[in-house]
Amino acid sequence: MEGIFITLHAAASVVCWFITAAGATFAVFSRRIEDTVTERVGLVAIAMGAIGTGCRIIKQGWISEGGLFISAALAFYVCAVFWKHWKRVPGSNADKRG
């Protein structure tokens, strides 16, 4: 039974890391998000680190409690930022131009 929980734990962590990587990659190439070059370089580093961590989990089976929580937190943050910029939520800075 413990093997099932470890597998679910690893799968959830990998999915969250790949969501984080996809969101960071989307932000780098998006024309709707106005970032500086330095911010885009930082997002590339986040995407590369997230992909590397996800692949390491798949290849080596490396998981930790902290890793799952940080991957979930980053994935939720990426989804929230994506939603804000996609829908242009009123009252946020996303709907103001200049």
Side-chain angles (χ1 to χ4, degrees):
M1 190 71 171
E2 186 176 323
I4 293 171
F5 291 120
I6 291 172
T7 302
L8 291 175
H9 182 159
S13 188
V14 167
V15 167
C16 289
W17 281 119
F18 287 156
I19 288 172
T20 302
T25 303
F26 174 76
V28 167
F29 295 110
S30 174
R31 294 180 190 264
R32 295 177 84 174
I33 299 174
E34 298 171 2
D35 289 337
T36 63
V37 173
T38 307
E39 291 170 329
R40 290 185 190 261
V41 169
L43 287 167
V44 167
I46 290 170
M48 289 173 56
I51 290 171
T53 304
C55 291
R56 187 170 79 174
I57 292 170
I58 291 170
K59 184 177 180 188
Q60 298 176 348
W62 174 85
I63 56 171
S64 69
E65 295 298 326
L68 176 63
F69 290 115
I70 193 127
S71 66
L74 287 171
F76 284 120
Y77 175 73
V78 165
C79 290
V81 170
F82 175 79
W83 183 258
K84 179 180 91 170
H85 285 288
W86 185 261
K87 290 292 188 179
R88 301 281 180 180
V89 176
S92 70
N93 290 333
D95 61 343
K96 297 181 176 110
R97 297 218 180 239

